[in-house]
Amino acid sequence: MAKPLQIEVYNPNGKYRVVSTKSMPGTRWINLLVEQDCRLEICTQKKTILSVEDIISLIGNKCDGVIGQLTEDWGETLFSALSRAGGKAFSNMAVGYNNVDVNAANKYGVAVGNTPGVLTETTAELAASLSLSAARRIVEADNFMRAGLYDGWLPHLFVGNLLKGQTVGVIGAGRIGSAYARMMVEGFKMNLIYYDLYQATRLEKFVTAYGQFLKANGEQPVTWKRASSMEEVLREADVISLHPILDKTTYHLINKERLAMMKKEAILVNCSRGPVIHEVALVEHLKANPMFRVGLDVFEDEPYMKPGLADMKNAIVVPHIASASKWTREGMATLAALNVLGKIKGYPVWSDTNRVEPFLDEKSRPPAACPSIVNSKSLGLPVSKL
Ligand SMILES: NC(=O)c1ccc[n+]([C@@H]2O[C@H](COP(=O)([O-])OP(=O)(O)OC[C@H]3O[C@@H](n4cnc5c(N)ncnc54)[C@H](O)[C@@H]3O)[C@@H](O)[C@H]2O)c1
Ligand SMILES: O=C(O)[C@H](O)CO
């Protein structure tokens, strides 16, 4: 028999058994569970990605709910194991839930939570950071300094792109894509072109009003355009940031043909999910177009990169840290714990997943609701009147 995984236990005599497959930042989420009569078991095993077998052993024979991570494969096997253990609640500590088979969860009547909103600005800020770093070649220049190669100012040294007055393209203008667009428009006075299945009305209104403000102050106004196809964005934009969900419609959205449509000196940023880009085609494109630059937070086969990517000077790569600010990660832990707790307690689901602030206010008790359950309609869960 496999050796049991290391765990840390809080409130051993709690009535409900909740498992967290990882230790998460902050203590509020722990306190909220303990105060509500949960025995909390946190897996502390030094193993970054837990296997399905590992998680089955954590679930055991009696488990009311699990807080899991985006690196885990939550499908038929795990939901049936959770259901057998009497559990009806699961939450990803992430807004994206492409690692979860929601149909399998529905089959076993398990609620699936996610953590929207609390990571919107933090993630958009990393996409903006990657855009700037790529435009001004900051990582290349930093490596050059550290290698002792700097021997004086030169007119051609690390010449990059000016963002002001250029066009920023956003594919997937939901919460994060819209926040990123605002940062680039407001911060750098870029014009916006976006593609989404739905109209981003609030974003359009913001850019219109900001353009009017600039005009009234004697400055060049910014503009926006909703593209009728993704290709239009690829052809027109100077900086393109990807923010859709990952599903069948966005898998390899950026492939060889679409890369070829982009400007030779364009910048591509991905803080969504790795498989949105065909990474092998990207490596080839980077080799053939040295002035084309990318900023990547996510990769097709995490934690690995496709061969050749790490050697490309025109690529900036960071390890899936877009939501990694202290406030956000503690908030994600809180929302994930409250999703599980709420379902265990039989609370209704919160009516507006874009408005999760009441759950994050440390000075007051969180509402008696599950902040965000993605399959609430399929399970027929009641909606909170709060
Ligand atoms: N790198 C990170 O650490 C990190 C952090 C947070 C979120 N994410 C990823 O970002 C994604 C977006 O998060 P969000 O909170 O903005 O979600 P959201 O649901 O608010 O936005 C997603 C947008 O994508 C659009 N979309 C869906 N299919 C599309 C398609 N085929 N073409 C164009 N647009 C399409 C949707 O209409 C929606 O507006 C998450 O699902 C997650 O995978 C990554
Ligand atoms: O989907 C998410 O939330 C991210 O990838 C991690 O923050």
Side-chain angles (χ1 to χ4, degrees):
M1 216 172 84
K3 233 172 110 190
L5 300 176
Q6 277 185 343
I7 52 163
E8 203 171 86
V9 181
Y10 291 80
N11 194 25
N13 298 322
K15 178 171 169 197
Y16 311 105
R17 181 170 174 263
V18 173
V19 168
S20 176
T21 61
K22 286 277 166 224
S23 152
M24 301 189 290
T27 50
R28 182 162 179 254
W29 69 278
I30 297 175
N31 297 337
L32 287 167
L33 290 171
V34 165
E35 279 161 18
Q36 295 288 319
D37 211 4
C38 295
R39 170 191 164 102
L40 171 62
E41 295 186 18
I42 302 175
C43 178
T44 53
Q45 189 76 20
K46 291 218 174 327
K47 180 177 184 191
T48 304
I49 301 181
L50 297 184
S51 66
V52 165
E53 292 68 35
D54 291 333
I55 299 171
I56 289 177
S57 82
L58 289 172
I59 290 171
N61 298 327
K62 192 244 172 214
C63 179
D64 296 287
V66 179
I67 302 166
Q69 300 297 324
L70 61 85
T71 47
E72 298 158 6
D73 183 6
W74 278 86
E76 171 79 28
T77 313
L78 286 183
F79 286 118
S80 65
L82 181 56
S83 173
R84 274 196 308 278
K88 288 279 175 269
F90 166 78
S91 184
N92 236 16
M93 184 218 179
V95 64
Y97 53 92
N98 51 289
N99 62 312
V100 180
D101 180 346
V102 179
N103 288 330
N106 290 342
K107 179 173 155 192
Y108 293 100
V110 178
V112 173
N114 72 339
T115 63
V118 67
L119 38 62
T120 298
E121 298 294 325
T122 297
T123 304
E125 283 181 11
L126 191 90
S129 310
L130 289 173
S131 306
L132 290 188
S133 305
R136 300 305 300 276
R137 305 174 63 184
I138 289 173
V139 176
E140 275 180 86
D142 178 275
N143 287 337
F144 175 88
M145 280 300 281
R146 289 170 200 274
L149 296 172
Y150 182 51
D151 57 6
W153 190 92
L154 278 173
H156 289 292
L157 196 59
F158 291 110
V159 171
N161 307 3
L162 171 71
L163 296 180
K164 187 178 178 193
Q166 291 207 329
T167 299
V168 62
V170 172
I171 294 174
R175 286 175 293 249
I176 300 168
S178 289
Y180 167 83
R182 284 181 57 149
M183 285 174 195
M184 302 310 283
V185 167
E186 195 177 1
F188 304 103
K189 303 191 176 60
M190 297 184 81
N191 298 311
L192 171 68
I193 179 167
Y194 78 91
Y195 176 71
D196 197 296
L197 310 178
Y198 302 96
Q199 187 174 8
T201 316
R202 285 178 64 190
L203 176 60
E204 291 175 1
K205 279 189 183 150
F206 171 82
V207 183
T208 303
Y210 187 51
Q212 285 162 355
F213 169 81
L214 290 174
K215 200 170 171 196
N217 284 280
E219 290 190 60
Q220 181 71 22
V222 288
T223 60
W224 62 265
K225 175 158 110 176
R226 180 180 178 198
S228 54
S229 69
M230 200 185 62
E231 286 75 10
E232 203 179 329
V233 176
L234 299 179
R235 286 195 190 94
E236 290 186 22
D238 300 289
V239 179
I240 294 164
S241 197
L242 307 173
H243 296 285
I245 56 164
L246 172 63
D247 66 4
K248 277 190 228 137
T249 70
T250 61
Y251 178 79
H252 284 184
L253 196 74
I254 302 296
N255 55 18
K256 185 177 174 201
E257 291 70 35
R258 289 183 171 141
L259 283 163
M261 290 174 191
M262 295 176 67
K263 296 183 182 178
K264 291 273 180 236
E265 296 197 1
I267 289 168
L268 177 66
V269 169
N270 190 11
C271 289
S272 60
R273 283 287 183 268
V276 172
I277 297 182
H278 189 305
E279 208 170 293
V280 169
L282 176 67
V283 174
E284 288 313 307
H285 193 77
L286 287 165
K287 281 184 190 158
N289 298 277
M291 293 314 288
F292 182 91
R293 294 195 279 274
V294 284
L296 303 174
D297 179 53
V298 286
F299 304 88
E300 200 169 340
D301 305 317
E302 281 181 35
Y304 307 107
M305 285 187 274
K306 292 290 188 198
L309 183 58
D311 302 324
M312 301 310 304
K313 282 194 175 158
N314 46 348
I316 299 172
V317 290
V318 295
H320 205 148
I321 53 166
S323 66
S325 74
K326 184 173 180 288
W327 182 81
T328 288
R329 286 284 167 88
E330 290 186 6
M332 288 165 74
T334 296
L335 293 181
L338 290 176
N339 280 330
V340 168
L341 179 67
K343 182 66 177 65
I344 290 174
K345 290 274 179 179
Y347 294 161
V349 296
W350 193 238
S351 57
D352 183 0
T353 51
N354 288 322
R355 194 177 55 87
V356 292
E357 294 77 14
F359 295 94
L360 303 170
D361 179 1
E362 306 215 0
K363 294 194 195 83
S364 57
R365 290 202 65 74
C370 303
S372 179
I373 300 293
V374 302
N375 57 347
S376 59
K377 282 206 182 95
S378 307
L379 297 184
L381 301 179
V383 176
S384 163
K385 303 239 176 342
L386 293 169

